[in-house]
Amino acid sequence: MSKIIWKGIIKSEDDFPTADIPKNAKKIDSEEDMIKMQIKALPFMIPSVLICLICMFAKTFMASERVINVGFIFIGVILGFLLIIVHELLHAIAFPKNATVWIGFMPKSFTAVALSSSPVKRNRFIFLSILPIILGLIPLVIFCLSSNDLKELNGVLFGISIMGMISVYPDIYNVFHVLKVVPKNATIQNNKNETYYYE
């Protein structure tokens, strides 16, 4: 497993880990400021929300009655928010075993981050980027399969699934840029808040 270091508060992108990037590396053109990146990535949240809503409406339609206690959705949302550290740990453990990964919190953008300047193959980068979506998919599947009578549980599960599914939208944004320009066998490496690839 990768070496995980808790960094606590990370004040700005200037505090991100650095690396010696090979001279033949090419920079991936993406937004480097965390807040601006989160704003630009917002459209990537839409598919996740739609998937959750389709599951909820389909379950409700088949039951011909309400299957969720709405008040319990907020409990699920809070629980989903608390899972953000698990989200970052899932990113971290998916790195190669010789990698060092920082986990911390950026008050400026109100987000937790898993940061590493260790080189990663493209396909592994894609995998570790989207792995935390399981925090939304698993409760969503349980929600779909659970009894219609368990309205409180369904509400909690739906709230957790919404949070788990939408929390990966910045990661999907990054994967989108990687898929556009990075060759299959390339290596990806971060230097501070800049991302490079090379073969």
Side-chain angles (χ1 to χ4, degrees):
M1 191 173 78
S2 58
K3 180 182 179 183
I4 300 171
I5 300 174
W6 172 250
K7 295 297 288 186
I9 300 298
I10 299 173
K11 294 180 179 178
S12 75
E13 291 85 354
D14 291 333
D15 296 328
F16 286 11
T18 59
D20 293 324
I21 302 297
K23 291 183 179 179
N24 66 325
K26 297 178 181 178
K27 186 178 174 183
I28 298 175
D29 184 23
S30 61
E31 182 56 61
E32 295 166 14
D33 180 271
M34 288 292 287
I35 295 175
K36 291 180 180 177
M37 183 273 284
Q38 288 173 328
I39 294 170
K40 283 188 175 181
L42 282 173
F44 290 85
M45 187 189 294
I46 295 171
S48 296
V49 174
L50 285 176
I51 290 169
C52 292
L53 291 177
I54 288 169
C55 288
M56 191 265 284
F57 287 126
K59 187 176 180 74
T60 303
F61 177 78
M62 288 187 289
S64 300
E65 62 175 343
R66 193 172 66 179
V67 296
I68 285 180
N69 184 320
V70 176
F72 280 77
I73 293 177
F74 298 104
I75 297 174
V77 167
I78 293 168
L79 291 173
F81 179 77
L82 294 175
L83 286 171
I84 195 65
I85 293 300
V86 179
H87 174 120
E88 300 306 331
L89 282 170
L90 287 170
H91 284 313
I93 64 174
F95 272 87
K97 63 180 180 180
N98 60 339
T100 299
V101 185
W102 295 2
I103 292 180
F105 182 75
M106 292 189 71
K108 182 183 84 168
S109 55
F110 196 67
T111 186
V113 290
L115 306 167
S116 179
S117 58
S118 300
V120 182
K121 285 293 186 180
R122 188 196 82 150
N123 288 346
R124 186 159 193 158
F125 178 87
I126 293 169
F127 170 73
L128 68 86
S129 295
I130 63 175
L131 177 60
I133 201 170
I134 65 173
L135 297 176
L137 286 176
I138 291 173
L140 187 61
V141 170
I142 298 172
F143 163 75
C144 291
L145 299 176
S146 69
S147 170
N148 298 330
D149 297 327
L150 301 175
K151 293 179 172 55
E152 291 78 14
L153 175 62
N154 289 337
V156 172
L157 289 169
F158 188 73
I160 295 173
S161 64
I162 282 280
M163 288 301 293
M165 294 288 284
I166 68 173
S167 65
V168 295
Y169 82 92
D171 303 308
I172 295 173
Y173 169 83
N174 289 329
V175 167
F176 173 74
H177 284 282
V178 165
L179 289 172
K180 280 200 305 183
V181 298
V182 180
K184 285 185 178 180
N185 297 319
T187 296
I188 295 174
Q189 190 168 12
N190 290 326
N191 179 36
K192 285 189 178 288
N193 57 332
E194 300 175 341
T195 305
Y196 296 83
Y197 71 93
Y198 52 89
E199 295 184 89

